[in-house]
Amino acid sequence: MAAVAVSTAALLTLTACGGDAKESGGGEAAQKKVEVFSWWTGPGEADGLKAMREIFAKQNPNFEFFDAAVAGGSGDQARALLSSKLQANQPPDTFQGHAGAELQGYIKGGKLESLNSLYDELKLKDVLPQQLVDQISVEGQIYSVPVNIHRSNVLWYNPSVIKDAGIDGAPATIDEFVTDLEKVKKAGKIPLSIGSQWTVVHLMESVLLGTLGTDAYNQLWAPNADWSSAEVTKALENFKTILSYAGTPQDDWQPAAKQVVDGEAAFNIMGDWAYGYFHNPPDGGLGKESHKDFDWAASPGTDGTFMWLSDSFTLPKGAPNRDGAIAWLKVAASKEGQDAFNPLKGSIPARTDADKSLYQDYLSWSLEEWSKDKLAGSIQHGVVANDAWRSAINDAVGLFQQSQDVAKLQEALVSAAQSNNQ
Ligand code: GAL
């Protein structure tokens, strides 16, 4: 009996050490995979993820980071695949979901575990803005770990191209913008670069904000908001005018943004992940110099308002490697993780206690604006509209690109709001 008891105890000890085969002399470590789902594969985007992944690897020798990223800016392909994986109850261990309405959709669908105990353990409520925690909570339960704050309403421009077109500095209003687009056209360059369809929705959100103003824009997301107003018509007319100056649509946001730093195009309205791409050293980024190869301003008519979004990581119910997912969330939540990720991603940290000296150049501007601006939420990047609503808006914009019919676009937006904003 005693012999059996001893060997059972020995077996238990061995099993407990099973993940750490190196220490028990078992050769190659039997690392357990942690599947991390995002869409950060492209130039610029992948750099931040890589930096956080290195920290994860150092801190978690028992886990192997498995990059389940699906290519395509703004997660257009990724979000569709994720939704079918979740429907089939085959979640990754953790996935990137935008704070706000998009995440609320996953929560209401019963797809996520609450992270309250992790928040307590890491004292996260003390270091995250309450406004942000509210966006990822339902009935006192918190459902994700925000890793950053991105800004959507940025006008990127090429200083030499605009100078050659006789433009003196970035346009502050929509009217000035249209005048400047015309000047660039006359000078023979692409006035405005665009990428795939989602980048056009991204452009539209900035034009809505710039035309309507912050309060009226924010009102659009309140239940029963009026999308049929004359002000919205005016905003959509502006959108049509601005879009008429767009170059040939590029495959995604990177080639469109690159046309600006290459001096082919004057302007591009894109989120500040473009900064990571422009500024990071090659091969990930383009190694460009700010104020020389590119410059930035608030998108026209939006100065003083930060149109925000936040990338956040989740713990899906039924995650195959739950412990591994929690280990990833701990890195994403940490000061070290956020300070490694964000300077390369072109975003500022969600945590309020990050090392500010790491955020220079564009990023110090963004930090400053975040601390004082009014806030508006991004449409395309999941803050104000849930996924169904966002897709309906995307479809409407896709049809508009062909028809150029403002009345039809507005009707489609009215009906998208009616069916999704109850
Ligand atoms: C956003 C995402 C950003 C960035 C961007 C372009 O939706 O929040 O982190 O990746 O798409 O792909």
Side-chain angles (χ1 to χ4, degrees), residues 115 173 275 325 372 387:
L115 296 175
T173 64
Y275 176 74
K372 64 178 171 56
D387 240 31

Side-chain angles (χ1 to χ4, degrees), residues 39-40 45 73-74 98 150 198 253 273 309 311 345 381:
W39 51 87
W40 299 326
E45 311 236 70
S74 181
H98 290 121
H150 265 306
W198 74 263
W253 69 268
W273 39 91
L309 61 121
D311 296 316
K345 186 68 170 63
H381 309 283

Side-chain angles (χ1 to χ4, degrees), residues 39-40 45 72-76 79 96-98 102 148 150 198 202 252-254 270-271 273-274 309-312 341 345 347 378 380-382:
W39 51 87
W40 299 326
E45 311 236 70
S74 181
D76 254 16
R79 286 192 257 181
Q96 205 271 93
H98 290 121
E102 181 183 310
N148 66 2
H150 265 306
W198 74 263
H202 186 107
D252 206 336
W253 69 268
Q254 288 98 337
M270 189 37 59
W273 39 91
L309 61 121
S310 169
D311 296 316
S312 74
F341 176 78
K345 186 68 170 63
S347 40
S378 162
Q380 175 59 27
H381 309 283

Side-chain angles (χ1 to χ4, degrees), residues 115 122 172 184 208 295:
L115 296 175
L122 304 177
V184 179
L208 279 173
D295 217 328

Side-chain angles (χ1 to χ4, degrees), residues 201-225:
V201 178
H202 186 107
L203 171 68
M204 186 178 77
E205 68 184 32
S206 261
V207 177
L208 279 173
L209 179 66
T211 309
L212 297 172
T214 314
D215 295 342
Y217 173 87
N218 286 337
Q219 276 303 312
L220 287 178
W221 314 101
N224 305 316

